[in-house]
């Protein structure tokens, strides 16, 4: 009988920004680990979600074929999702029934929309910003009443795109563009109102039904389609697995769970203990190399490096109709050049993994 594989078993759960980097560098990992990936076939890129949803970009411009990438780089791939994980027994089960044992597990499973406003029956007329595939409903909104609930980057992008596509849009939010410079918020408000968006800051939504959203004062706003962009939280399965809560999987600066050092997490599903991080793609992208270096250091018995978040980063909102809003710290500019820059950055990043 041949000797069993002496390499420790590394289980990658999810194929977000950070794990795409690991798949791309799988040859380095394979020298030290027996690697298995559990993830859906497609990775849908949030940076192009609004444009893909409304048809400004083709579907292919906003997704990566994870299965093809795994084959290309020699990674064993279980196509699907994880339904159970026991961090103490170091076992897991995928939705196809596959039983998986591991020595080290890394989670990169993203986030979900805060479920507080979700109606119990989840009618087809109410969609969330995640999963991104649900936004396909925006392709048929011309002439329809669309309520966007939430005034963050996703809500603003979707409101702008839906209005540009001919929808009658109402944006309901306690605050509009809270993280953006005041001048950028004023420019966005002018842009949205010029497209006919009924911008209603300060209107807190307490319930969303199949055809109306109910506000805190008891009034109702009718809709044909409601889009929930109310903020992101950790997936509910993290709590079931005993690995975290709505904030995500707690991790130290080395991206390891403080109580289960063989459990790693990156991206939106990670709760970075040194300092809370916003759920934006830049952290998942930049954590990928740190995660890889940490896994290699672990295999060599060395100290894992720390993730040091940058204080500022470039974010570009796609406003539809060929325009964008670029923001870095307190600096911002709006126009066609901003969207051109965003498209260039997105194409380069996606091309690396396509």
């Amino acid at each position: 009988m041949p000797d069993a594989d002496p390499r420790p078993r590394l289980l990658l759960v999810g194929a977000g920004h950070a794990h795409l980097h690991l798949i791309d560098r799988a040859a380095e990992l394979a020298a030290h680990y027996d690697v298995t990936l559990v993830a859906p076939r497609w990775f849908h890129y949030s940076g192009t979600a609004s444009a893909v949803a409304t048809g400004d970009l083709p579907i292919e411009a906003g997704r990566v074929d994870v299965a093809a990438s795994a084959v290309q780089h020699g990674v064993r791939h279980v196509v699907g999702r994880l339904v159970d994980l026991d961090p103490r027994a170091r076992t897991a089960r995928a939705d196809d029934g596959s039983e998986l044992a591991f020595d080290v597990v890394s989670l990169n499973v993203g986030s979900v929309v805060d479920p507080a406003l979700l109606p119990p029956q989840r009618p087809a007329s109410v969609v969330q910003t995640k999963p991104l595939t649900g936004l396909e409903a925006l392709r048929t909104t011309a002439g329809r009443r669309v309520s966007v609930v939430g005034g963050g980057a996703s809500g603003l992008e979707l409101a702008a795109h839906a209005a540009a596509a001919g929808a009658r849009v109402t944006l309901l939010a306690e605050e509009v563009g809270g993280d953006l410079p005041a001048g950028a918020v004023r420019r966005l408000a002018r842009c949205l109102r010029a497209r006919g968006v009924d911008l209603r800051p300060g209107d807190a939504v307490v319930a969303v039904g199949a055809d109306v959203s109910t506000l805190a004062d008891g009034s109702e706003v009718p809709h044909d389609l409601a889009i929930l962009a109310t903020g992101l939280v950790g997936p509910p399965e993290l709590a079931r697995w005993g690995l975290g809560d709505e904030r995500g999987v707690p991790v130290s600066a080395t991206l390891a769970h403080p109580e289960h050092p063989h459990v790693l997490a990156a991206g939106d599903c990670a709760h970075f203990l040194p300092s809370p991080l916003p759920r934006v793609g830049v952290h998942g992208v930049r954590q990928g190399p740190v995660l890889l270096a940490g896994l290699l250091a672990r295999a060599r018995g060395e100290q894992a490096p720390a993730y040091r978040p940058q204080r500022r980063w470039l974010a570009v909102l796609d406003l539809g109709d060929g325009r964008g809003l670029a923001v870095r710290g307190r600096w911002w500019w709006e126009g066609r050049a901003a969207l051109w820059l965003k498209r260039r950055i997105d194409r380069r990043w996606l091309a690396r993994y396509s």
Side-chain angles (χ1 to χ4, degrees):
M1 293 287 292
D3 292 337
D5 191 332
R7 298 173 299 170
R9 298 159 297 183
L10 170 61
L11 179 62
L12 304 178
V13 183
H17 299 83
H19 279 183
L20 286 176
H21 180 76
L22 297 191
I23 296 167
D24 190 53
R25 304 286 288 274
E28 296 175 58
L29 286 172
H32 303 279
Y33 294 96
D34 178 22
V35 183
T36 299
L37 168 71
V38 179
R41 175 181 176 181
W42 298 103
F43 164 77
H44 295 274
Y45 179 53
S46 59
T48 57
S50 299
V52 169
T54 52
D56 282 6
L57 290 176
I59 291 175
E60 292 72 21
R63 66 184 187 181
V64 172
D65 190 338
V66 175
S69 185
V71 169
Q72 178 185 354
H73 295 289
V75 175
R76 184 186 307 114
H77 182 199
V78 177
V79 180
R81 300 181 184 278
L82 213 63
V83 295
D84 193 24
L85 187 150
D86 186 333
R88 298 186 186 279
R90 305 195 186 197
T91 58
R93 179 165 51 88
D95 56 6
D96 69 351
S98 299
E99 300 286 345
L100 304 160
F102 59 85
D103 299 294
V104 183
V105 62
S106 178
L107 302 170
N108 190 207
V109 293
S111 55
V112 299
V113 172
D114 188 336
L117 294 179
L118 278 176
Q121 303 303 319
R122 301 195 183 189
S125 58
V126 179
V127 300
Q128 305 158 257
T129 52
K130 288 194 175 184
L132 297 176
T133 50
L135 296 178
E136 292 172 2
L138 280 170
R139 287 180 178 260
T140 57
T141 55
R144 300 172 69 196
R145 298 169 301 176
V146 175
S147 288
V148 178
V149 183
S154 295
L156 292 167
E157 274 198 0
L158 290 166
H161 269 273
R168 292 177 287 159
V169 180
T170 301
L171 179 66
L172 303 167
E174 293 187 61
E175 185 179 21
V176 174
D179 320 352
L180 301 175
V185 174
R186 289 192 293 270
R187 176 67 68 87
L188 272 171
R190 288 199 297 271
C191 170
L192 291 171
R193 290 188 173 113
R195 295 183 190 179
V197 175
D198 182 6
L199 196 61
R200 299 176 62 169
D203 281 352
V205 177
V206 295
V208 177
D211 52 12
V212 296
S213 296
T214 304
L215 306 183
D217 63 5
S219 62
E220 295 181 336
V221 178
H223 59 248
D224 301 307
L225 178 70
I227 304 170
L228 298 186
T230 49
L232 302 174
V233 297
E237 58 264 30
L238 301 179
R240 293 201 307 269
W241 300 340
L243 287 175
D245 52 29
E246 71 281 353
R247 294 172 297 176
V249 179
V251 295
S252 66
T254 63
L255 306 180
H257 193 293
E259 297 179 16
H260 305 289
H262 60 288
V263 176
L264 310 173
D268 277 9
C269 75
H271 170 41
F272 193 66
L273 293 174
S275 61
L277 300 176
R279 286 186 162 96
V280 293
V282 65
H283 292 299
V285 170
R286 293 184 177 275
Q287 285 170 351
V290 176
L291 189 60
L292 174 65
L295 286 165
L296 296 177
R298 174 189 295 264
R300 298 167 182 150
E302 300 170 354
Q303 178 66 39
Y307 176 61
R308 305 191 187 282
Q310 60 190 105
R311 293 178 58 196
R312 300 182 182 86
W313 55 87
L314 176 67
V316 186
L317 276 66
D318 181 352
L319 302 180
D321 201 27
R323 305 187 73 83
L325 175 75
V327 180
R328 189 177 189 279
R330 307 313 297 172
W331 295 92
W332 64 274
W333 72 96
E334 185 269 339
R336 296 188 179 278
L339 185 62
W340 175 88
L341 177 61
K342 175 176 175 56
R343 292 279 189 265
R344 184 171 183 268
I345 293 170
D346 290 342
R347 282 195 301 267
R348 288 177 60 189
W349 190 85
L350 286 163
R352 178 173 182 178
Y353 302 110
S354 297

